Amino acid sequence: MILTFYKNLSDPKKVIKNITSLGAIQNCVLRDEQNILDPVFEVASAALPDDFNYVYCDYTGRYYFTGNAIMVRTGLWRIPCHVDVLSSHYEKYKTVSATITRNETVRNGYLIDGNYKTYAYKECVTRKFPVAFDTDSLILITVG
Amino acid sequence: MAVVKSSGVITKFPILIDVELDNIDFSVAPSGLYSANANTYVGNNPIFRSDNAAIFSDAFTFDIQTAFPVGTDLATMKAGNRRLSQRKYVFDIVQVYGNNHYMKLHFKKIDGSTTVIENMTFDGAENNVITIEEYPNNPNHNVAFAARIRDTRHDLTGIALYVGFAVQWRADNFSYSLGQPSYIFIQETLEENGDQFLYVDENDFNDEDYGDESSEDGYGIDGTPDFDHSSDVIGVPSDPTVSTGTVGFMNVYNVGQGALSGLGEYLFPELDPSQWSDVTEVLRGIAGIFAYRDSIQYVVDLHAIPVTPVTGASKYIKLGALETDISQPVCSSDYVNFDCGTISIPERFRNFLDYTEVSCKIYIPFFGFVDLKPEYWASGSIGLKYKFNVIDGSFMAFLVSTSSKSQLANTVIGQYSGSACLHLPVVAASYGSIVSGLISGSAAMATAGTKETSPGSVSGAMEGAMTAGNFQPKMSQSNDYNCSAAYLGCREAYLLIEYPVQSFSAKYPHDSGLPANITRTIQSMLGSGYTVIESIDLSGLGITETEIAELKDIFAGGFYL
């Protein structure tokens, strides 16, 4: 099992992440009963790459966020991980069509946005109509 | 760069869209509408879009021309060892408005022949793209296309489409192996503005343009309206045909104050018995006093109104059988139309705030304040017109609305009756009637709310659109025969608008996203930033249930594409 170590600079919720490869280590195993979504990898290596926070496991075919690596003994490390479902399965769900509820760039401003903030007070503006009543006429009505 | 021109005023088909290709730097591979690797567009904005139902008939044509400027020597525009050889035109019908989507498109190449290149029946399927490739030997080959659309079911009300134009490079030896195809794309957006389409540069969009509507709305199958929702014009009525003049008993004069003084002196002259030299003159004088003074009973009313009546030739004032020697203009019509004008107020925020958070009242002189929905004036105009009755000073005020958002065009959206009349006492009896009118006027004020919601005072359209409470006048004036309070009120109509004060964080779209409500594939939204998908079907993808649940949580909570 090969673990490829990365430094991830992207937000965990970013689909296509900005990652830098820090190298791969081949002697990796999953001990005992392991959940592939939250596995703990055992890595037989004298040292781990510096600043890694993200790995790819060729065996599970998934990307993982890493927790704090634990040195079990000299030359053996345990790395708790949690699967990055966004990046791991992007190729599977990328063609799925869905209703985009909100988006940063594609937007319809005339849809009511409950999160939008306004002040507690309002501005009052008056706008006059162009023509006012400015005359008086006397009307006399008689019979005859 | 590619320049897109519309034919300007869009009132009827055919519409001509010229695509002029000029100053193209063929050494640079642009990106945009077409990706280099997959011939699928990634742009969002149709080059041409029309959704004005009024401009469509049951069958129409429109022309699209793509051509290099006449005389352009494309051979001199080559870069390196490559030259222009292949061109690709793509017409993608993305949306059709109407109950049914069956229509025929006939694309023809206009190059001397009019051979039909391809027919397409738009049946609501997703793939309605026509791609036409040209391999001209002559680099100066100009080509134009015409697309004729026939609405076979006579219910087409609009169409939106993309027009793509791609130019591919090849080597001089006609090998396909050199270079990746470069595409010139056309992505300008034409935005409807009244009857004209104007250019909108994508680069001009910023946070302040939050109000731009996305190209799809989320309701209905594809945004197609279920019926013709355009408004019929309900205008201000014409004057009644019956008037006092047609009755024949009454005389209506537009008198001046000097004439009134003269009339008083005429009817009540100073008596000087010393001038009566004999009994005959005494009897004649006494008889004249009674005859003249009795003539005052023929004065029906004397009142002031705030408008100038329509008058004809001057005539001597008649009181019964008595014709005085005082001449005054005669009112030739019982009715006077007075137009306070129109106010046009654009949307302030260009988003939903203009409609949900803005409240407005209109002050109608001689009537009071009336609540007014923003839909009736925002993105349009609101006008106030009066029709006065000169005889009794009563009036009907008409609110006339034009609004693109509300589909209103010079439509009367409110009618309010009242009286603007200052009665002047002529004899003791008339003063008494004024006092009694004051009492009855107060009674009328007490029931003003009830009167306001009656069918006669509010148009049917307004009754359906607004609650009766919104139309209850916030300030009432007296009416009937006593209108002194109304006559002393403000004589200028105006809007009193309460705007919200928005707090728009510059990073709000990035941190929270903005409402979109459109259907897209996730792949097509790559690079669009923060996204929320409240619900998505991820079945059949080979993803575990636990991961699907986590994916859905992430999509619903917001993520970055």
Side-chain angles (χ1 to χ4, degrees), chain A residues 13 62 82 89 94 100-104 108-110 113 116 119 122-123 125 127 136-137 139-143, chain B residues 251 253 300 303 305 307 318 320 347-348 352 357 487 497 499 501-502 508 513 515 517-518 530-532 547 560:
Chain A
K13 290 186 176 181
R62 285 168 167 82
H82 178 70
H89 299 296
K94 69 179 183 182
I100 310 298
T101 309
R102 300 177 72 91
N103 187 259
E104 184 174 337
N108 184 340
Y110 293 101
D113 186 352
Y116 207 83
Y119 287 15
K122 291 188 174 183
E123 293 179 350
V125 177
R127 294 288 300 273
D136 292 302
S137 299
I139 304 298
L140 175 66
I141 304 173
T142 68
V143 177
Chain B
N251 304 305
Y253 305 95
V300 176
H303 59 264
I305 59 174
V307 291
K318 291 185 66 178
E347 295 175 342
R348 181 167 180 175
F352 72 98
E357 301 300 322
Y487 216 82
I497 309 170
Y499 285 111
V501 182
Q502 67 170 345
Y508 178 71
N517 200 38
I518 58 172
Y530 186 83
T531 304
V532 174
E547 289 173 301
Y560 292 96

Short mmCIF file of all heavy atoms in Angstrom, two decimals, chain A residues 13 62 82 89 94 100-104 108-110 113 116 119 122-123 125 127 136-137 139-143, chain B residues 251 253 300 303 305 307 318 320 347-348 352 357 487 497 499 501-502 508 513 515 517-518 530-532 547 560:
data_model
loop_
_atom_site.label_atom_id
_atom_site.label_comp_id
_atom_site.label_asym_id
_atom_site.label_seq_id
_atom_site.Cartn_x
_atom_site.Cartn_y
_atom_site.Cartn_z
N LYS A 13 -13.24 22.33 2.23
CA LYS A 13 -14.45 22.22 1.42
C LYS A 13 -14.23 22.63 -0.03
O LYS A 13 -15.18 22.88 -0.76
CB LYS A 13 -15.56 23.08 2.04
CG LYS A 13 -16.07 22.51 3.36
CD LYS A 13 -17.26 23.29 3.87
CE LYS A 13 -17.82 22.64 5.14
NZ LYS A 13 -19.00 23.35 5.64
N ARG A 62 -8.66 6.85 -2.26
CA ARG A 62 -9.28 8.03 -1.66
C ARG A 62 -8.20 8.98 -1.12
O ARG A 62 -7.11 8.56 -0.75
CB ARG A 62 -10.21 7.63 -0.51
CG ARG A 62 -11.53 7.02 -0.96
CD ARG A 62 -12.26 6.40 0.21
NE ARG A 62 -13.64 6.08 -0.11
CZ ARG A 62 -14.02 4.96 -0.74
NH1 ARG A 62 -13.10 4.07 -1.12
NH2 ARG A 62 -15.29 4.72 -1.00
N HIS A 82 -9.13 11.11 7.94
CA HIS A 82 -10.57 11.17 7.60
C HIS A 82 -10.68 11.43 6.11
O HIS A 82 -9.99 12.28 5.55
CB HIS A 82 -11.28 12.29 8.38
CG HIS A 82 -12.74 12.40 8.02
ND1 HIS A 82 -13.67 11.45 8.39
CD2 HIS A 82 -13.42 13.33 7.31
CE1 HIS A 82 -14.86 11.80 7.93
NE2 HIS A 82 -14.72 12.94 7.27
N HIS A 89 -14.29 11.59 -4.71
CA HIS A 89 -15.35 11.10 -5.59
C HIS A 89 -15.75 12.12 -6.65
O HIS A 89 -16.81 11.98 -7.27
CB HIS A 89 -16.57 10.72 -4.75
CG HIS A 89 -16.29 9.63 -3.78
ND1 HIS A 89 -15.93 8.35 -4.14
CD2 HIS A 89 -16.28 9.63 -2.42
CE1 HIS A 89 -15.73 7.61 -3.07
NE2 HIS A 89 -15.93 8.36 -2.00
N LYS A 94 -19.21 14.54 -10.76
CA LYS A 94 -19.05 15.81 -11.46
C LYS A 94 -20.08 16.02 -12.57
O LYS A 94 -20.41 17.15 -12.92
CB LYS A 94 -17.64 15.94 -12.03
CG LYS A 94 -17.33 14.98 -13.17
CD LYS A 94 -15.92 15.20 -13.68
CE LYS A 94 -15.61 14.29 -14.88
NZ LYS A 94 -14.22 14.48 -15.34
N ILE A 100 -28.53 24.35 -8.17
CA ILE A 100 -27.57 25.15 -7.43
C ILE A 100 -28.34 26.18 -6.62
O ILE A 100 -28.91 27.13 -7.17
CB ILE A 100 -26.58 25.86 -8.38
CG1 ILE A 100 -25.99 24.86 -9.38
CG2 ILE A 100 -25.51 26.58 -7.59
CD1 ILE A 100 -25.19 23.75 -8.76
N THR A 101 -28.41 25.99 -5.34
CA THR A 101 -29.19 26.88 -4.50
C THR A 101 -28.53 28.25 -4.38
O THR A 101 -29.18 29.28 -4.54
CB THR A 101 -29.36 26.28 -3.09
OG1 THR A 101 -29.83 24.94 -3.22
CG2 THR A 101 -30.33 27.09 -2.27
N ARG A 102 -27.26 28.24 -4.08
CA ARG A 102 -26.53 29.50 -3.96
C ARG A 102 -25.18 29.34 -4.65
O ARG A 102 -24.63 28.23 -4.71
CB ARG A 102 -26.29 29.88 -2.49
CG ARG A 102 -27.54 30.06 -1.68
CD ARG A 102 -27.20 30.38 -0.22
NE ARG A 102 -26.67 31.72 -0.05
CZ ARG A 102 -27.42 32.78 0.20
NH1 ARG A 102 -28.72 32.64 0.31
NH2 ARG A 102 -26.88 33.97 0.34
N ASN A 103 -24.68 30.44 -5.18
CA ASN A 103 -23.38 30.39 -5.81
C ASN A 103 -22.72 31.76 -5.74
O ASN A 103 -23.40 32.78 -5.64
CB ASN A 103 -23.50 29.94 -7.28
CG ASN A 103 -22.15 29.72 -7.92
OD1 ASN A 103 -21.65 30.55 -8.66
ND2 ASN A 103 -21.53 28.58 -7.62
N GLU A 104 -21.42 31.73 -5.78
CA GLU A 104 -20.67 32.98 -5.62
C GLU A 104 -20.77 33.87 -6.86
O GLU A 104 -20.81 35.10 -6.74
CB GLU A 104 -19.21 32.66 -5.34
CG GLU A 104 -18.33 33.86 -5.06
CD GLU A 104 -16.93 33.44 -4.65
OE1 GLU A 104 -16.78 32.30 -4.18
OE2 GLU A 104 -16.00 34.27 -4.79
N ASN A 108 -29.02 35.15 -8.93
CA ASN A 108 -30.23 35.84 -9.32
C ASN A 108 -30.64 36.71 -8.15
O ASN A 108 -31.16 36.23 -7.16
CB ASN A 108 -31.33 34.83 -9.67
CG ASN A 108 -32.59 35.53 -10.18
OD1 ASN A 108 -32.79 36.71 -9.94
ND2 ASN A 108 -33.43 34.79 -10.87
N GLY A 109 -30.35 37.98 -8.28
CA GLY A 109 -30.55 38.89 -7.16
C GLY A 109 -32.00 39.11 -6.80
O GLY A 109 -32.29 39.64 -5.74
N TYR A 110 -32.91 38.70 -7.67
CA TYR A 110 -34.31 38.93 -7.36
C TYR A 110 -34.93 37.79 -6.57
O TYR A 110 -36.11 37.83 -6.24
CB TYR A 110 -35.09 39.19 -8.64
CG TYR A 110 -34.67 40.49 -9.28
CD1 TYR A 110 -33.80 40.51 -10.36
CD2 TYR A 110 -35.09 41.70 -8.75
CE1 TYR A 110 -33.38 41.70 -10.92
CE2 TYR A 110 -34.69 42.90 -9.30
CZ TYR A 110 -33.83 42.90 -10.39
OH TYR A 110 -33.42 44.08 -10.92
N ASP A 113 -33.21 36.64 -0.39
CA ASP A 113 -32.05 36.11 0.32
C ASP A 113 -32.23 36.38 1.81
O ASP A 113 -32.09 37.52 2.27
CB ASP A 113 -30.78 36.80 -0.20
CG ASP A 113 -29.52 36.17 0.40
OD1 ASP A 113 -29.66 35.33 1.31
OD2 ASP A 113 -28.42 36.52 -0.05
N TYR A 116 -29.35 38.07 3.86
CA TYR A 116 -28.88 39.42 3.54
C TYR A 116 -29.12 40.35 4.73
O TYR A 116 -30.16 40.27 5.39
CB TYR A 116 -29.65 39.94 2.33
CG TYR A 116 -28.91 40.95 1.52
CD1 TYR A 116 -28.00 40.56 0.56
CD2 TYR A 116 -29.15 42.31 1.71
CE1 TYR A 116 -27.33 41.49 -0.20
CE2 TYR A 116 -28.49 43.25 0.95
CZ TYR A 116 -27.58 42.84 0.00
OH TYR A 116 -26.92 43.76 -0.75
N TYR A 119 -29.86 47.39 7.82
CA TYR A 119 -29.86 48.12 9.08
C TYR A 119 -31.25 48.06 9.72
O TYR A 119 -32.24 47.73 9.07
CB TYR A 119 -29.48 49.59 8.85
CG TYR A 119 -28.01 49.82 8.53
CD1 TYR A 119 -27.18 48.77 8.16
CD2 TYR A 119 -27.47 51.09 8.60
CE1 TYR A 119 -25.86 48.98 7.87
CE2 TYR A 119 -26.13 51.32 8.30
CZ TYR A 119 -25.33 50.26 7.94
OH TYR A 119 -24.02 50.46 7.63
N LYS A 122 -34.63 52.69 8.35
CA LYS A 122 -34.78 52.90 6.92
C LYS A 122 -34.58 54.36 6.58
O LYS A 122 -34.75 55.24 7.42
CB LYS A 122 -36.17 52.44 6.46
CG LYS A 122 -36.37 50.93 6.53
CD LYS A 122 -37.68 50.53 5.90
CE LYS A 122 -37.81 49.01 5.83
NZ LYS A 122 -39.06 48.60 5.15
N GLU A 123 -34.22 54.59 5.33
CA GLU A 123 -34.12 55.96 4.83
C GLU A 123 -35.46 56.35 4.22
O GLU A 123 -36.05 55.57 3.48
CB GLU A 123 -33.03 56.06 3.76
CG GLU A 123 -31.62 55.85 4.28
CD GLU A 123 -30.61 55.94 3.16
OE1 GLU A 123 -31.02 55.96 1.99
OE2 GLU A 123 -29.41 55.96 3.47
N VAL A 125 -37.35 58.88 1.78
CA VAL A 125 -37.10 59.75 0.64
C VAL A 125 -38.44 60.21 0.07
O VAL A 125 -39.37 59.41 -0.02
CB VAL A 125 -36.30 59.02 -0.46
CG1 VAL A 125 -36.10 59.90 -1.67
CG2 VAL A 125 -34.97 58.54 0.09
N ARG A 127 -40.32 62.09 -3.21
CA ARG A 127 -40.16 62.46 -4.62
C ARG A 127 -41.46 63.11 -5.08
O ARG A 127 -42.52 62.48 -5.06
CB ARG A 127 -39.85 61.22 -5.48
CG ARG A 127 -38.51 60.58 -5.18
CD ARG A 127 -37.36 61.44 -5.69
NE ARG A 127 -37.43 61.63 -7.13
CZ ARG A 127 -36.90 60.78 -8.00
NH1 ARG A 127 -36.30 59.69 -7.58
NH2 ARG A 127 -36.98 61.00 -9.28
N ASP A 136 -56.69 78.57 -8.50
CA ASP A 136 -58.05 78.45 -7.99
C ASP A 136 -58.99 79.12 -8.99
O ASP A 136 -58.67 80.18 -9.53
CB ASP A 136 -58.18 79.15 -6.62
CG ASP A 136 -57.40 78.42 -5.54
OD1 ASP A 136 -57.67 77.23 -5.32
OD2 ASP A 136 -56.50 79.05 -4.94
N SER A 137 -60.11 78.50 -9.19
CA SER A 137 -61.09 79.07 -10.12
C SER A 137 -62.44 79.15 -9.42
O SER A 137 -62.84 78.22 -8.71
CB SER A 137 -61.21 78.19 -11.37
OG SER A 137 -59.98 78.12 -12.05
N ILE A 139 -66.39 79.18 -9.62
CA ILE A 139 -67.43 78.66 -10.50
C ILE A 139 -68.78 79.15 -9.98
O ILE A 139 -69.15 78.92 -8.82
CB ILE A 139 -67.41 77.12 -10.54
CG1 ILE A 139 -66.03 76.62 -10.97
CG2 ILE A 139 -68.50 76.60 -11.47
CD1 ILE A 139 -65.60 77.04 -12.34
N LEU A 140 -69.50 79.83 -10.84
CA LEU A 140 -70.84 80.31 -10.50
C LEU A 140 -71.84 79.53 -11.35
O LEU A 140 -71.73 79.51 -12.58
CB LEU A 140 -70.96 81.81 -10.78
CG LEU A 140 -72.35 82.40 -10.57
CD1 LEU A 140 -72.77 82.34 -9.10
CD2 LEU A 140 -72.42 83.84 -11.11
N ILE A 141 -72.79 78.93 -10.68
CA ILE A 141 -73.80 78.14 -11.39
C ILE A 141 -75.16 78.79 -11.14
O ILE A 141 -75.55 79.02 -9.98
CB ILE A 141 -73.82 76.69 -10.90
CG1 ILE A 141 -72.43 76.07 -11.05
CG2 ILE A 141 -74.84 75.87 -11.69
CD1 ILE A 141 -72.31 74.68 -10.45
N THR A 142 -75.81 79.11 -12.22
CA THR A 142 -77.14 79.73 -12.11
C THR A 142 -78.13 78.95 -12.95
O THR A 142 -77.75 78.18 -13.83
CB THR A 142 -77.10 81.19 -12.58
OG1 THR A 142 -76.86 81.22 -13.99
CG2 THR A 142 -76.02 81.98 -11.86
N VAL A 143 -79.40 79.22 -12.67
CA VAL A 143 -80.48 78.66 -13.48
C VAL A 143 -81.02 79.78 -14.34
O VAL A 143 -81.20 80.90 -13.88
CB VAL A 143 -81.60 78.09 -12.58
CG1 VAL A 143 -82.75 77.57 -13.44
CG2 VAL A 143 -81.04 77.00 -11.70
N ASN B 251 -76.50 77.42 -16.15
CA ASN B 251 -75.42 78.22 -16.71
C ASN B 251 -74.23 78.11 -15.76
O ASN B 251 -74.39 78.30 -14.55
CB ASN B 251 -75.84 79.69 -16.83
CG ASN B 251 -77.10 79.84 -17.65
OD1 ASN B 251 -77.16 79.39 -18.79
ND2 ASN B 251 -78.12 80.46 -17.06
N TYR B 253 -70.48 79.52 -15.08
CA TYR B 253 -69.54 80.58 -15.43
C TYR B 253 -68.26 80.42 -14.64
O TYR B 253 -68.28 80.03 -13.46
CB TYR B 253 -70.15 81.96 -15.11
CG TYR B 253 -71.48 82.20 -15.76
CD1 TYR B 253 -72.66 81.96 -15.05
CD2 TYR B 253 -71.58 82.69 -17.06
CE1 TYR B 253 -73.90 82.19 -15.62
CE2 TYR B 253 -72.82 82.93 -17.64
CZ TYR B 253 -73.97 82.67 -16.93
OH TYR B 253 -75.18 82.90 -17.50
N VAL B 300 -77.43 78.76 -8.06
CA VAL B 300 -77.40 77.39 -7.54
C VAL B 300 -76.20 77.18 -6.62
O VAL B 300 -76.31 76.61 -5.54
CB VAL B 300 -77.35 76.37 -8.70
CG1 VAL B 300 -77.22 74.94 -8.17
CG2 VAL B 300 -78.58 76.52 -9.57
N HIS B 303 -68.63 78.26 -5.93
CA HIS B 303 -67.56 77.52 -5.25
C HIS B 303 -66.24 77.69 -6.00
O HIS B 303 -66.21 78.13 -7.16
CB HIS B 303 -67.92 76.04 -5.12
CG HIS B 303 -68.16 75.35 -6.44
ND1 HIS B 303 -69.43 75.17 -6.96
CD2 HIS B 303 -67.30 74.79 -7.32
CE1 HIS B 303 -69.33 74.52 -8.12
NE2 HIS B 303 -68.06 74.30 -8.36
N ILE B 305 -62.64 75.80 -7.19
CA ILE B 305 -62.00 74.51 -7.48
C ILE B 305 -60.53 74.77 -7.80
O ILE B 305 -60.17 75.88 -8.22
CB ILE B 305 -62.68 73.77 -8.66
CG1 ILE B 305 -62.64 74.62 -9.93
CG2 ILE B 305 -64.12 73.39 -8.30
CD1 ILE B 305 -63.16 73.91 -11.16
N VAL B 307 -58.55 73.83 -10.15
CA VAL B 307 -58.10 73.69 -11.54
C VAL B 307 -58.80 74.74 -12.39
O VAL B 307 -59.79 75.34 -11.97
CB VAL B 307 -58.40 72.29 -12.10
CG1 VAL B 307 -57.53 71.24 -11.43
CG2 VAL B 307 -59.87 71.95 -11.93
N LYS B 318 -76.88 85.13 -16.43
CA LYS B 318 -78.33 85.09 -16.35
C LYS B 318 -78.75 84.51 -15.01
O LYS B 318 -78.19 83.53 -14.53
CB LYS B 318 -78.90 84.22 -17.48
CG LYS B 318 -78.76 84.83 -18.86
CD LYS B 318 -79.46 83.98 -19.92
CE LYS B 318 -80.97 83.97 -19.68
NZ LYS B 318 -81.66 83.18 -20.73
N GLY B 320 -82.29 83.37 -13.74
CA GLY B 320 -83.67 83.18 -14.12
C GLY B 320 -83.93 83.92 -15.42
O GLY B 320 -83.19 83.78 -16.40
N GLU B 347 -34.81 51.02 -9.98
CA GLU B 347 -34.52 50.21 -8.80
C GLU B 347 -33.26 50.74 -8.12
O GLU B 347 -32.30 51.13 -8.78
CB GLU B 347 -34.29 48.75 -9.20
CG GLU B 347 -35.51 48.08 -9.77
CD GLU B 347 -35.19 46.68 -10.26
OE1 GLU B 347 -34.00 46.39 -10.46
OE2 GLU B 347 -36.13 45.89 -10.45
N ARG B 348 -33.29 50.76 -6.81
CA ARG B 348 -32.14 51.31 -6.09
C ARG B 348 -31.06 50.25 -5.89
O ARG B 348 -29.88 50.54 -6.02
CB ARG B 348 -32.60 51.85 -4.74
CG ARG B 348 -31.48 52.46 -3.93
CD ARG B 348 -32.03 53.24 -2.77
NE ARG B 348 -30.96 53.84 -1.97
CZ ARG B 348 -31.17 54.66 -0.96
NH1 ARG B 348 -32.39 55.01 -0.66
NH2 ARG B 348 -30.17 55.15 -0.26
N PHE B 352 -33.66 41.88 -4.78
CA PHE B 352 -34.94 41.65 -4.12
C PHE B 352 -35.29 42.71 -3.10
O PHE B 352 -36.46 42.93 -2.79
CB PHE B 352 -34.93 40.26 -3.46
CG PHE B 352 -34.07 40.19 -2.23
CD1 PHE B 352 -34.62 40.31 -0.97
CD2 PHE B 352 -32.69 40.03 -2.33
CE1 PHE B 352 -33.84 40.25 0.16
CE2 PHE B 352 -31.90 39.97 -1.20
CZ PHE B 352 -32.47 40.08 0.05
N GLU B 357 -38.30 44.94 0.79
CA GLU B 357 -37.93 45.78 1.93
C GLU B 357 -38.26 47.25 1.74
O GLU B 357 -37.99 48.06 2.62
CB GLU B 357 -36.43 45.63 2.22
CG GLU B 357 -36.00 44.21 2.53
CD GLU B 357 -36.69 43.65 3.75
OE1 GLU B 357 -36.88 44.40 4.72
OE2 GLU B 357 -37.05 42.46 3.73
N TYR B 487 -59.21 71.39 0.96
CA TYR B 487 -58.74 72.52 0.17
C TYR B 487 -57.53 73.19 0.81
O TYR B 487 -56.76 73.87 0.14
CB TYR B 487 -59.88 73.53 0.02
CG TYR B 487 -59.89 74.20 -1.33
CD1 TYR B 487 -60.47 73.56 -2.41
CD2 TYR B 487 -59.31 75.45 -1.51
CE1 TYR B 487 -60.48 74.16 -3.65
CE2 TYR B 487 -59.31 76.05 -2.75
CZ TYR B 487 -59.89 75.40 -3.82
OH TYR B 487 -59.88 75.98 -5.04
N ILE B 497 -41.06 57.34 0.26
CA ILE B 497 -40.48 56.00 0.09
C ILE B 497 -39.55 55.71 1.26
O ILE B 497 -38.72 56.54 1.63
CB ILE B 497 -39.67 55.91 -1.23
CG1 ILE B 497 -40.51 56.42 -2.40
CG2 ILE B 497 -39.22 54.48 -1.49
CD1 ILE B 497 -39.73 56.59 -3.68
N TYR B 499 -36.62 53.34 2.19
CA TYR B 499 -35.64 52.39 1.66
C TYR B 499 -34.89 51.71 2.81
O TYR B 499 -34.53 52.37 3.79
CB TYR B 499 -34.60 53.11 0.78
CG TYR B 499 -35.10 53.52 -0.57
CD1 TYR B 499 -35.27 54.85 -0.89
CD2 TYR B 499 -35.35 52.57 -1.56
CE1 TYR B 499 -35.71 55.24 -2.14
CE2 TYR B 499 -35.77 52.94 -2.81
CZ TYR B 499 -35.96 54.28 -3.11
OH TYR B 499 -36.38 54.65 -4.36
N VAL B 501 -31.51 50.18 4.46
CA VAL B 501 -30.08 50.48 4.34
C VAL B 501 -29.35 49.14 4.34
O VAL B 501 -29.36 48.42 5.34
CB VAL B 501 -29.60 51.35 5.51
CG1 VAL B 501 -28.11 51.68 5.34
CG2 VAL B 501 -30.42 52.62 5.59
N GLN B 502 -28.79 48.81 3.21
CA GLN B 502 -28.20 47.48 3.10
C GLN B 502 -26.78 47.46 3.65
O GLN B 502 -26.07 48.46 3.65
CB GLN B 502 -28.18 47.02 1.64
CG GLN B 502 -27.25 47.83 0.75
CD GLN B 502 -27.09 47.18 -0.62
OE1 GLN B 502 -27.46 46.03 -0.81
NE2 GLN B 502 -26.56 47.93 -1.57
N TYR B 508 -19.21 38.78 1.05
CA TYR B 508 -20.46 38.03 1.26
C TYR B 508 -20.68 36.97 0.17
O TYR B 508 -21.00 35.82 0.49
CB TYR B 508 -21.62 39.02 1.31
CG TYR B 508 -22.98 38.38 1.48
CD1 TYR B 508 -23.35 37.79 2.67
CD2 TYR B 508 -23.90 38.39 0.43
CE1 TYR B 508 -24.60 37.22 2.82
CE2 TYR B 508 -25.15 37.82 0.58
CZ TYR B 508 -25.49 37.23 1.77
OH TYR B 508 -26.73 36.67 1.91
N GLY B 513 -22.29 32.94 -0.63
CA GLY B 513 -22.95 32.72 -1.90
C GLY B 513 -24.18 33.60 -2.05
O GLY B 513 -24.62 34.23 -1.08
N PRO B 515 -28.21 33.78 -3.93
CA PRO B 515 -29.24 32.89 -4.47
C PRO B 515 -29.09 32.69 -5.97
O PRO B 515 -28.92 33.66 -6.72
CB PRO B 515 -30.55 33.61 -4.13
CG PRO B 515 -30.21 34.46 -2.96
CD PRO B 515 -28.80 34.90 -3.18
N ASN B 517 -30.45 29.28 -7.78
CA ASN B 517 -31.61 28.48 -8.16
C ASN B 517 -31.62 28.13 -9.63
O ASN B 517 -32.58 28.39 -10.36
CB ASN B 517 -32.90 29.23 -7.79
CG ASN B 517 -34.08 28.27 -7.71
OD1 ASN B 517 -33.93 27.15 -7.24
ND2 ASN B 517 -35.24 28.69 -8.18
N ILE B 518 -30.54 27.57 -10.09
CA ILE B 518 -30.44 27.12 -11.47
C ILE B 518 -29.95 25.68 -11.47
O ILE B 518 -29.34 25.22 -10.51
CB ILE B 518 -29.50 28.00 -12.30
CG1 ILE B 518 -28.11 28.01 -11.66
CG2 ILE B 518 -30.03 29.40 -12.44
CD1 ILE B 518 -27.09 28.69 -12.51
N TYR B 530 -17.99 29.72 -4.11
CA TYR B 530 -18.82 29.15 -3.06
C TYR B 530 -20.16 28.70 -3.63
O TYR B 530 -20.82 29.42 -4.40
CB TYR B 530 -19.05 30.19 -1.96
CG TYR B 530 -19.78 29.65 -0.76
CD1 TYR B 530 -19.10 28.99 0.23
CD2 TYR B 530 -21.15 29.82 -0.64
CE1 TYR B 530 -19.77 28.49 1.35
CE2 TYR B 530 -21.83 29.33 0.47
CZ TYR B 530 -21.13 28.66 1.45
OH TYR B 530 -21.79 28.17 2.54
N THR B 531 -20.56 27.51 -3.25
CA THR B 531 -21.77 26.90 -3.82
C THR B 531 -22.53 26.17 -2.72
O THR B 531 -21.92 25.56 -1.84
CB THR B 531 -21.40 25.91 -4.94
OG1 THR B 531 -20.61 26.58 -5.92
CG2 THR B 531 -22.66 25.33 -5.60
N VAL B 532 -23.83 26.26 -2.82
CA VAL B 532 -24.69 25.49 -1.93
C VAL B 532 -25.65 24.68 -2.80
O VAL B 532 -26.28 25.23 -3.71
CB VAL B 532 -25.49 26.39 -0.97
CG1 VAL B 532 -26.49 25.57 -0.16
CG2 VAL B 532 -24.55 27.15 -0.05
N GLU B 547 -20.57 7.98 2.80
CA GLU B 547 -19.93 9.07 2.07
C GLU B 547 -20.95 9.94 1.35
O GLU B 547 -20.80 11.16 1.26
CB GLU B 547 -18.92 8.50 1.08
CG GLU B 547 -17.67 7.93 1.76
CD GLU B 547 -16.76 7.22 0.79
OE1 GLU B 547 -17.21 6.25 0.14
OE2 GLU B 547 -15.60 7.64 0.67
N TYR B 560 -16.70 24.87 -2.00
CA TYR B 560 -16.09 25.73 -3.02
C TYR B 560 -15.79 24.93 -4.28
O TYR B 560 -15.16 23.88 -4.23
CB TYR B 560 -14.79 26.35 -2.49
CG TYR B 560 -15.03 27.34 -1.40
CD1 TYR B 560 -14.94 26.96 -0.07
CD2 TYR B 560 -15.36 28.66 -1.70
CE1 TYR B 560 -15.18 27.86 0.95
CE2 TYR B 560 -15.60 29.57 -0.69
CZ TYR B 560 -15.51 29.17 0.63
OH TYR B 560 -15.76 30.08 1.62
#
